[in-house]
Amino acid sequence: MRSKVSSGYPLVLVFLIVAAGLAGCKSHGPSASSSDPAAPMLAANASAVELYNAHRYTEARAKAETEMLRTTGRDKEVNQLTAGLSAYAMGQPALAEHYLETLTGSSDPAIAGRAEAVLGQIAEKKGNHQYAADLFKRASAHLDGDDAAKAAVRAGSSLAEVGRPTSRAAAATTLRAPSHANSGPYTIQVGAFSTLKAAGTRAREMTPRSEKAGLGTPRIVPDTIHGKPGFTVQVGTFAAKQAAINAKSRLGSGFVVAMD
């Protein structure tokens, strides 16, 4: 599903369900149509997953709901996820929540992560940014690769909205998320990377240490690295440089105090 964080920086969360099992599912936003005239022809006994992948969301949801009644375990969860994703793609967020909320407790991280990511987007649209950030953070921990990194960025974007004015224009200039009670011109930089994936990995690695130090969740910030577009991973915001230095000592060595 393609959406944008508050800065206007494009963010794509990819979910692809495949018939052999759950690897993810490519979801289109709630405005997507219930069918795609360019979709491939399917057999009469096509599964709910196959119907979803063909963008035939109405049929996919109906088939998934039927299959949920006669399947158990992971198969039932895959059908439930397919029903929820189909409902979301059809612009039915309440129904999507109905199906997806219980899946956040799935023992399968791929299922839990995808449910959390879509629920995060629903919460974000409702203006519940703190809850959205929590969901995206959990999704990032459950997902792998680019999906995990992008969910981490989305968590930072949602946190950036917490406590901001209701006007999105007032919050549309930055990805920075306030992860410390103070605010100011200084931050602790814990990494600089040329790719979002690498920055996301670093942010996840630093999260336990940062939270233990009382500095909140690391954030990923679009930046210029050696004259080229890249990303920095930052922790905290501080009004005084000495406060940042003191906080840095709680994180350990190898980090730098920088201008926020």
Side-chain angles (χ1 to χ4, degrees):
M1 109 193 48
R2 185 174 180 82
S3 53
K4 293 185 177 181
V5 294
S6 61
S7 68
Y9 184 81
L11 175 65
V12 181
L13 293 178
V14 178
F15 312 111
L16 178 62
I17 297 179
V18 293
L22 182 66
C25 69
K26 184 169 184 177
S27 173
H28 301 261
S31 62
S33 62
S34 62
S35 62
D36 186 341
M41 296 295 292
L42 297 178
N45 62 344
S47 69
V49 166
E50 291 170 327
L51 290 166
Y52 180 90
N53 284 339
H55 308 171
R56 291 161 59 171
Y57 303 125
T58 301
E59 296 168 82
R61 198 196 83 194
K63 184 68 175 282
E65 290 170 337
T66 299
E67 292 299 305
M68 282 173 58
L69 299 176
R70 68 179 193 83
T71 53
T72 59
R74 186 176 183 278
D75 288 341
K76 182 175 182 177
E77 288 188 340
V78 169
N79 281 304
Q80 186 174 337
L81 179 63
T82 305
L85 293 174
S86 297
Y88 182 72
M90 294 164 63
Q92 300 171 331
L95 185 59
E97 286 180 304
H98 170 73
Y99 285 124
L100 298 177
E101 283 177 344
T102 59
L103 293 179
T104 61
S106 173
S107 59
D108 188 321
I111 292 175
R114 280 151 180 80
E116 288 158 350
V118 174
L119 288 169
Q121 291 176 85
I122 294 172
E124 196 174 53
K125 289 180 183 297
K126 290 180 177 179
N128 192 344
H129 299 295
Q130 182 62 64
Y131 183 47
D134 291 342
L135 285 164
F136 285 129
K137 179 181 173 183
R138 287 157 55 188
S140 178
H142 283 134
L143 298 173
D144 295 320
D146 287 345
D147 285 350
K150 290 163 186 172
V153 172
R154 195 64 172 267
S157 175
S158 294
L159 280 174
E161 298 286 352
V162 177
R164 298 282 184 93
T166 55
S167 170
R168 291 190 61 82
T173 58
T174 179
L175 276 173
R176 294 180 176 87
S179 56
H180 191 269
N182 296 323
S183 61
Y186 296 97
T187 187
I188 303 169
Q189 184 173 303
V190 297
F193 305 91
S194 61
T195 67
L196 178 60
K197 181 178 180 179
T201 298
R202 181 60 166 168
R204 292 195 302 278
E205 291 173 348
M206 287 299 303
T207 295
R209 191 187 304 187
S210 176
E211 292 183 342
K212 184 177 181 180
L215 299 173
T217 304
R219 62 190 180 274
I220 300 172
V221 181
D223 209 335
T224 300
I225 312 298
H226 302 304
K228 297 181 179 180
F231 304 88
T232 57
V233 181
Q234 301 177 359
V235 174
T237 53
F238 307 88
K241 186 174 183 179
Q242 188 58 51
I245 293 172
N246 293 341
K248 181 172 72 73
S249 67
R250 302 202 299 272
L251 285 177
S253 60
F255 311 125
V256 298
V257 171
M259 298 296 291
D260 190 12

